[in-house]
Amino acid sequence: MLNALLPLELRVFADAFLYTIVIIVLLIRPSGLIAAKGARV
Amino acid sequence: MNDRVSAWSRWVFLALPLITPLILITVLIAVTDDISLVQRASTAMILMVMVVGLHIFSGNSGVISFGSVAFAMIAAYTSALLTIPVEQKPSLFPDMPGFLSWIVEFSLPVPAGIVVAVLFTGVVAVIVGVPLVRLSGLSAGIATLAFLVVVQVVITKWKAVTRGESTMVGVPKEATLWWALFGVVLAIAVAAIFQVSRNGRRLIATREDDKAAMSIGISIPKERLVGWTLSCMVAATGGALYGHYISTFSATTFGFALTFFVVAMLVIGGMGSLTGAVVGVLVVQVLSEFFRTLETQGLGPIPIIDFPGLTEMVLALILLIVLIVRPSGITGGTEVADWFVRRKSSKASSS
């Protein structure tokens, strides 16, 4: 999906964007997207 | 005034017992003039710079980071770009983008290149560190590992600037055993000064009990950011030195294998102390050299063990054993300086 969204010249960096999204998700939700009740990381 | 003197004596007391044997060993190795030994010692000391760098953040904050090698990689490439001779640059970087074309037009002496690379890496570390230091535990580990992958992908794919998957060549091979020694002495001094400084002690307080630290007004993100930036800059010094020592490298040189080695060295030695970082490098390097010699040449009456990957397997096994038997590492989080104090106090109490 990233490959389709990214401009042609940036597609080679798709993995870098993917892992940047991973970092952003961790920053916003450190316990994961679907955290267990009362979970603390 | 007294406080200043005592702070000075504390960091000297912490660093000197580590620096002195390293200087003596280096002098002995230099006297032997054995090229292979000099190479092994230089590599070990450059790795020690990176491990001490990792200790500054992970050891004092208790937050594991897999990203320190990423900063070593950034510094190695930056220093290489700045120091490759001007006459070689147009052929090595024919497609350099316009906004970076100034890099092709000049070349810095190696020491200046290393300093600029470390400062640049420091700026990157601050930018990346502001969000990352808010994480801890497993998420911090995953986020820093993700950052390592991001840096590796960018360096591997940005062919015009980094030569992509091709090896970086033309890097001046100027780092020697003495450069490595200077790097490690500097790294240990910086780590010791930080450890006894106010920022260092506040960071250690957050490691021991984050809630208690917050209750006395310590800002965890702020203290972690200071430690993180310093840690990344020391790791960057190691990376830049490594680049100028091996002179040909690619992104895979600074990949998962090196990350594993650096983290394993710190964990085996003992993450909680500067002594642990130094001891970890010495133990792992001696063991890995021993098994590598067995793999390639055999040792005395022991024949060559034809088992590719033996060194890595044995290291992984040792790491597992240390984690199970002694989770706080060989040194158990104590400093050499503490041993002296204990011996002195036990002698005093017995008399």
Side-chain angles (χ1 to χ4, degrees):
Chain A
M1 201 171 91
L2 262 177
N3 271 324
L5 290 171
L6 287 169
L8 201 61
E9 64 274 15
L10 290 179
R11 279 185 197 170
V12 286
F13 300 109
D15 284 345
F17 283 101
L18 175 69
Y19 284 97
T20 308
I21 293 169
V22 170
I23 295 173
I24 293 168
V25 169
L26 284 168
L27 288 169
I28 299 168
R29 294 193 59 93
S31 315
L33 288 175
I34 307 162
K37 246 184 183 178
R40 187 176 174 272
V41 179
Chain B
M1 183 69 186
N2 274 345
D3 277 355
R4 274 190 196 170
V5 173
S6 101
W8 169 261
S9 63
R10 263 183 289 143
W11 83 258
V12 171
F13 195 53
L14 188 64
L16 216 58
L18 299 172
I19 289 172
T20 316
L22 285 174
I23 293 174
L24 288 175
I25 293 169
T26 310
V27 171
L28 281 175
I29 290 171
V31 168
T32 62
D33 214 21
D34 180 336
I35 294 171
S36 150
L37 198 59
V38 167
Q39 278 178 349
R40 288 168 189 200
S42 308
T43 311
M45 281 198 286
I46 292 171
L47 281 174
M48 201 178 279
V49 178
M50 293 186 211
V51 177
V52 168
L54 178 61
H55 160 78
I56 293 175
F57 177 69
S58 290
N60 294 321
S61 71
V63 179
I64 192 74
S65 161
F66 296 108
S68 65
V69 169
F71 294 96
M73 180 159 39
I74 294 172
Y77 272 88
T78 309
S79 186
L81 281 167
L82 294 172
T83 56
I84 290 173
V86 179
E87 54 273 21
Q88 291 183 27
K89 281 186 176 176
S91 58
L92 289 172
F93 309 102
D95 305 316
M96 185 68 86
F99 72 100
L100 288 174
S101 57
W102 52 273
I103 290 177
V104 186
E105 289 154 18
F106 78 102
S107 174
L108 287 178
V110 174
I114 293 176
V115 171
V116 175
V118 170
L119 292 176
F120 171 71
T121 312
V123 174
V124 177
V126 172
I127 295 167
V128 176
V130 169
L132 281 193
V133 294
R134 293 176 185 277
L135 296 171
S136 53
L138 188 60
S139 25
I142 297 170
T144 49
L145 193 63
F147 177 70
L148 172 69
V149 178
V150 170
V151 172
Q152 215 170 20
V153 169
V154 170
I155 285 182
T156 314
K157 302 294 178 188
W158 203 11
K159 285 182 188 162
V161 178
T162 62
R163 292 178 47 78
E165 285 166 27
S166 309
T167 312
M168 184 65 105
V169 289
V171 185
K173 189 178 167 62
E174 284 190 24
T176 60
L177 180 69
W178 300 110
W179 284 49
L181 177 68
F182 176 72
V184 87
V185 168
L186 191 71
I188 291 173
V190 167
I193 292 169
F194 178 70
Q195 208 159 305
V196 301
S197 71
R198 280 186 185 179
N199 289 100
R201 279 180 290 166
R202 283 188 200 134
L203 189 60
I204 293 169
T206 68
R207 178 190 73 189
E208 297 303 322
D209 191 332
D210 53 349
K211 286 191 181 71
M214 279 195 291
S215 73
I216 55 165
I218 294 174
S219 161
I220 296 180
K222 187 188 145 201
E223 300 309 334
R224 280 190 186 162
L225 185 63
V226 174
W228 165 268
T229 308
L230 204 59
S231 158
C232 295
M233 288 174 81
V234 172
T237 310
L241 277 174
Y242 197 46
H244 288 289
Y245 181 69
I246 55 176
S247 82
T248 51
F249 56 86
S250 65
T252 47
T253 312
F254 297 92
F256 292 113
L258 186 62
T259 303
F260 172 71
F261 255 87
V262 169
V263 174
M265 283 166 168
L266 188 59
V267 173
I268 289 173
M271 212 165 92
S273 69
L274 183 55
T275 308
V278 175
V279 169
V281 176
L282 293 176
V283 169
V284 172
Q285 202 63 12
V286 166
L287 281 173
S288 65
E289 286 303 334
F290 174 75
F291 286 104
R292 209 158 281 157
T293 313
L294 276 183
E295 259 184 81
T296 54
Q297 305 160 22
L299 203 70
I302 310 168
I304 295 175
I305 299 175
D306 189 18
F307 194 97
L310 174 76
T311 313
E312 285 73 17
M313 240 179 69
V314 171
L315 270 184
L317 201 67
I318 292 168
L319 182 63
L320 265 176
I321 294 169
V322 168
L323 283 173
I324 295 165
V325 178
R326 212 172 154 80
S328 50
I330 296 170
T331 58
T334 47
E335 302 287 359
V336 183
D338 298 338
W339 298 338
F340 286 126
V341 173
R342 270 186 216 158
R343 275 185 63 184
K344 212 173 163 186
S345 57
S346 66
K347 265 186 190 172
S349 61
S350 63
S351 63

